[in-house]
Amino acid sequence: MRASHSLTKQKYMRRAKFILLFIIISSMYIWAFAGIQYSGLLDSAWPVTKSIISGFVSPDLEYIYNREGEDLLRGLVETLAIAVVGIALSVVLAVPIGLWAARNLSSRYYLSSSGKVSLSFLRTLPDIVLALLFIKVVGPGAFAGMLALGIGAIGMLGKLYAEEVEGMDPGPVEAIIAVGGNKWQQLAFGVIPQVVPGFISATLYRFEINMRSAATLGVIGAGGIGTPLIFSIQSRNWERVGIILIGIVIVVLIVDLLSSYLRKKIV
């Protein structure tokens, strides 16, 4: 009888928590939508929408390749290069910080905590803000975009690396300690072989994000295909906008498919 009463009480408690959570989330949505100032669509909304759709239906195919100047292929290659070099910079910097932030590799708690704080700080910096800062430092172009993606990904990659290290099997490290291995031998033969597959998987996942970000950072002048895209939008050249967006979608899909395939093979 007592067991039945206890189960009924737990059931009502779960239901009450669900109702309370639903009320809180609903209130937040109501409050958020209430603050939106909506004054209706612009008079040009429908003509512009038709022009954009027309640009997708009949894109500017001549822009795909132009031997003498700017074209789609050069922009996409530059975007891919920004993403690749950016992720390479991130890995070089994120690996030591991730090892620093891993609790099971630190003899003192405050050492790993300081690493986690550093990673949390880096994760608060959006790529677009970093791109604007680097544009002021090195000027507009692909170099600023690469630095923004490289520094911006350190926080995320470092956190994933640290979690991978913390979740590894401690047995190999303990065996190396038992035979008198030093810290570097523990790291090289006990830690690295276990975490490399997880590191590669996390890096590939972040590379997918970098590819999308590289395509949008050009909108603010950080190189890549985003720069001709924003110029085409400003000049209302919707046929060129259409072919650029189609090219971005195709490249991002290919990168996503290859990355997913490689992750499945590695993990």
Side-chain angles (χ1 to χ4, degrees):
M1 191 72 177
R2 289 182 178 178
S4 176
H5 178 72
S6 177
L7 289 173
T8 304
K9 185 178 179 180
Q10 290 178 3
K11 179 179 178 181
Y12 280 115
M13 287 294 293
R14 286 196 299 267
R15 186 176 297 175
K17 289 179 181 178
F18 175 78
I19 293 172
L20 179 61
L21 182 63
F22 177 78
I23 292 173
I24 292 173
I25 294 176
S26 300
S27 300
M28 292 176 63
Y29 271 99
I30 292 170
W31 172 75
F33 279 105
I36 297 176
Q37 297 180 356
Y38 178 70
S39 57
L41 297 174
L42 297 175
D43 295 336
S44 59
W46 178 240
V48 170
T49 301
K50 288 198 300 182
S51 299
I52 294 173
I53 295 173
S54 175
F56 274 101
V57 174
S58 56
D60 183 7
L61 298 179
E62 294 182 359
Y63 185 69
I64 294 176
Y65 177 71
N66 181 4
R67 183 181 298 178
E68 300 178 356
E70 177 187 279
D71 58 28
L72 178 65
L73 293 179
R74 287 187 179 90
L76 291 175
V77 169
E78 183 179 55
T79 301
L80 183 62
I82 292 171
V84 170
V85 179
I87 198 67
L89 176 63
S90 300
V91 170
V92 170
L93 298 177
V95 167
I97 299 177
L99 296 175
W100 167 29
R103 286 195 175 95
N104 55 341
L105 295 184
S106 299
S107 57
R108 293 178 176 81
Y109 177 77
Y110 68 85
L111 289 175
S112 62
S113 296
S114 61
K116 290 186 182 298
V117 169
S118 300
L119 292 174
S120 297
F121 170 74
L122 289 171
R123 288 202 306 277
T124 62
L125 302 173
D127 293 341
I128 194 167
V129 173
L130 288 171
L132 289 170
L133 293 175
F134 282 119
I135 285 173
K136 296 298 183 182
V137 175
V138 301
F143 189 50
M146 180 274 294
L147 290 175
L149 291 180
I151 302 301
I154 293 174
M156 176 183 173
L157 279 180
K159 181 178 183 295
L160 294 175
Y161 291 168
E163 291 177 350
E164 188 70 26
V165 174
E166 290 173 349
M168 72 178 184
D169 180 10
V173 177
E174 292 172 355
I176 294 172
I177 294 173
V179 297
N182 58 35
K183 288 288 185 181
W184 289 108
Q185 290 169 332
Q186 295 168 32
L187 183 65
F189 302 108
V191 177
I192 299 300
Q194 292 191 74
V195 300
V196 162
F199 279 20
I200 295 174
S201 178
T203 302
L204 289 171
Y205 175 69
R206 178 63 205 194
F207 177 68
E208 296 175 18
I209 299 174
N210 270 18
M211 188 61 204
R212 298 184 185 91
S213 299
T216 57
L217 289 182
V219 172
I220 59 171
I225 196 63
T227 302
L229 175 62
I230 191 63
F231 288 156
S232 300
I233 292 173
Q234 291 174 346
S235 62
R236 297 180 179 272
N237 189 345
W238 303 117
E239 289 78 12
R240 182 162 295 182
V241 171
I243 193 62
I244 291 174
L245 292 178
I246 291 170
I248 292 173
V249 169
I250 292 173
V251 172
V252 170
L253 282 175
I254 292 173
V255 169
D256 285 356
L257 290 172
L258 287 175
S259 178
S260 299
Y261 173 78
L262 291 173
R263 285 205 307 274
K264 290 177 181 177
K265 288 292 184 181
I266 291 169
V267 179

